[in-house]
Amino acid sequence: MALINKSSRILAVSAILCFLVLNMAGCKPKAVLLYDDSNNHFAAEALDRLNYAYTSTTDWVAFNNAFKSSEWDLVIVDNPTQADVTKLAETLLNDYVTKGGRLAICSWMVHWDPENALWGSLGFEHSGPTEFMPRPVYKTPGPDRLWTSPLAIPDLDFTGADDLYGTNCYPGSAIGDGEIMAVFDKSAPETMGALFVANEGRTIFNAFKPDDGAIGGVPIDKDADGLPDSVEWWINEIRYVNASCAKPVMPVGPAEMNSLYTSPVMDK
């Protein structure tokens, strides 16, 4: 019983410390837009744990309408599902990024539309081949703040992970000012990039699906700290791209954007 009580106290203290670390003073974004069609909602959990208020959308029409209606400090796209895809979203996102917006994204769209200008704007070029099963993602060596702030995060060991989506990994090379920060294969880092930082740290592209981070529906927590590893990655990515505290940006797109019909948006 004493061991159980001691373990409980340790977990409680860890939880309190985690809360304090995640909520340290800093630049808190006022206008955050989330697109989320995932199964496990790890990005949404990361925003909740960071205590960021955000507007949540779960289909592209609602996202597009919300996106072009306002300025946004930060946009998060968790898009592992192959459904309801429009080039309009990519056009809006590319416009937002090139105008100075902050974006953290994973999306299967890079497989569907690899030549879209958005990926180049994120410092990524799909060098293939697409991987059809989840696989581990390894951090690049070195004490980069992406791996240490606000949390010390582990590699993503997706060995045996649930295969929910059919396509899961999109190995790539860095172009423009893109920098590879994580890889699928340590022996071929230049063509097997898994995570790309670009635009002076304003953007992160995950060339894999963090939502794969579960086995039998149970989130993977290899470092046994009580947080799913994929949530930890999203937390650090969100804090990383938000660090610049830049002005909010409103995307301005082509005339075809005005023809979209409206759809309700849920505020969280």
Side-chain angles (χ1 to χ4, degrees), residues 72-86:
W72 299 99
D73 295 301
L74 177 64
V75 176
I76 309 298
V77 175
D78 190 3
N79 169 223
T81 301
Q82 301 179 28
D84 299 326
V85 175
T86 69

Side-chain angles (χ1 to χ4, degrees), residues 64-130:
N64 292 337
N65 288 329
F67 197 19
K68 63 192 181 74
S69 69
S70 181
E71 295 182 333
W72 299 99
D73 295 301
L74 177 64
V75 176
I76 309 298
V77 175
D78 190 3
N79 169 223
T81 301
Q82 301 179 28
D84 299 326
V85 175
T86 69
K87 286 195 175 185
L88 181 55
E90 294 170 298
T91 302
L92 280 167
L93 287 166
N94 187 56
D95 183 75
Y96 176 75
V97 167
T98 57
K99 286 179 169 59
R102 293 177 299 234
L103 171 69
I105 177 174
C106 85
S107 178
W108 81 279
M109 288 190 289
V110 71
H111 175 66
W112 171 74
D113 188 19
E115 303 303 320
N116 194 281
L118 172 62
W119 318 120
S121 295
L122 299 177
F124 168 86
E125 182 176 59
H126 188 22
S127 57
T130 294

